[in-house]
Amino acid sequence: MSLTSLTSSTSLTTPTSEGPLSRFALIKAVLGPIMRLMFRPQVEGAERIPGDGAVILAGNHLTFIDSIVLPLVTRRQVHFIGKDEYVTGKSLKGRLMAWFFTGVGMIPVDRDGASGGVAALMTGKRVLEEGKMFGIYPEGTRSPDGRLYRGRTGIARLALMTGAPVVPFAVIGTDKLQPGGRGMPRPGKVTIRFGEPMEFSRYEGMDRDRYVLRAVTDSVMAEVMRLSGQEYVDMYATKAKAA
């Protein structure tokens, strides 16, 4: 398969143009070949991603470079939430990071405090209402040990509020290239698997029913587990990290 895409604080400024002169196009043209050589991505099921309209990509989260690999292997630009600290650095390195991450589709949001989760949810909702593709890690944070942890129900609320289909995905091998999520990743092979789109129109109007939200979230996580082959842990990753 041809890999053709590389892919505050709640100002809700979404990267826009995906045309030939956009910053996204420039980044994928310049850095895409380098990233492909470094990570040698093997992609399965990318044709299952709808070619247009609102789409939610939901998958596992092993390490920092997941958000670099995912845009690399999708034809459409993926918009995703990122820590605002990635774009607030004043040094040359900080400015380059801001240019790169906002260029590939990251939307910086301050997720600290009681309003952080709501801000992230509303940002995702707006992206989807614009007919774009939104990437989310339902675990809410990187896995502390390579296992798959319980999903948070924000993914279900987004799907039910917008009617967007959910395409589950699994990233495999990134934790071997960047153990602990720190330091420069080493070259190696990464596999990315996409599952069949999941739609939940039968639950329309039930986005505040906690039992429905949990059922939808668990069904998405079951697909992610099937795609990734990870062991599932029925607890939140944040709780595991705090233990």
Side-chain angles (χ1 to χ4, degrees):
M1 177 179 295
S2 173
L3 303 179
T4 59
S5 184
L6 172 69
T7 19
S8 235
S9 249
T10 333
S11 60
L12 304 187
T13 301
T14 311
T16 52
S17 174
E18 298 180 27
L21 299 180
S22 70
R23 181 155 41 118
F24 174 71
L26 174 63
I27 290 173
K28 71 180 182 181
V30 174
L31 296 183
I34 298 173
M35 296 292 185
R36 287 195 292 273
L37 283 173
M38 185 171 184
F39 299 129
R40 293 181 286 140
Q42 175 180 320
V43 187
E44 301 173 12
E47 71 281 357
R48 293 168 174 162
I49 302 174
D52 53 40
V55 180
I56 302 171
L57 297 184
N60 60 334
H61 195 12
L62 296 173
T63 191
F64 175 79
I65 60 172
D66 296 338
S67 296
I68 297 176
V69 172
L70 185 60
L72 175 66
V73 301
T74 56
R75 292 186 178 90
R76 297 177 61 187
Q77 186 171 15
V78 186
H79 301 279
F80 54 94
I81 297 297
K83 296 178 181 178
D84 61 350
E85 65 191 61
Y86 293 154
V87 301
T88 55
K90 302 301 182 184
S91 65
L92 177 60
K93 177 183 176 182
R95 289 195 292 270
L96 287 173
M97 285 181 62
W99 183 86
F100 173 81
F101 282 113
T102 57
V104 297
M106 192 197 89
I107 306 170
V109 171
D110 183 355
R111 295 178 296 178
D112 294 332
S115 63
V118 175
L121 186 68
M122 291 301 102
T123 300
K125 180 175 181 287
R126 186 178 64 81
V127 169
L128 293 167
E129 287 175 343
E130 292 174 355
K132 298 176 181 177
M133 189 157 67
F134 185 71
I136 187 171
Y137 304 115
E139 292 168 279
T141 188
R142 295 192 293 265
S143 170
D145 54 16
R147 296 184 293 176
L148 184 69
Y149 283 79
R150 195 180 200 212
R152 296 189 176 275
T153 57
I155 172 65
R157 289 197 65 190
L158 273 179
L160 300 190
M161 285 191 299
T162 64
V166 177
V167 175
F169 71 86
V171 179
I172 302 166
T174 53
D175 53 335
K176 304 296 190 299
L177 307 187
Q178 193 182 37
R182 295 180 295 273
M184 288 294 295
R186 63 175 71 109
K189 187 174 182 179
V190 174
T191 299
I192 306 93
R193 294 183 181 134
F194 296 95
E196 294 288 349
M198 306 172 71
E199 63 89 22
F200 300 99
S201 58
R202 61 193 179 279
Y203 298 123
E204 184 179 358
M206 304 176 72
D207 58 278
R208 293 190 178 276
D209 186 314
R210 64 189 181 96
Y211 296 106
V212 169
L213 295 177
R214 175 46 55 193
V216 169
T217 302
D218 287 348
S219 66
V220 171
M221 297 308 289
E223 276 299 292
V224 174
M225 179 178 66
R226 184 185 66 81
L227 292 167
S228 69
Q230 290 170 281
E231 177 185 348
Y232 180 75
V233 183
D234 193 19
M235 67 183 294
Y236 292 122
T238 49
K239 184 175 181 181
K241 287 182 175 182

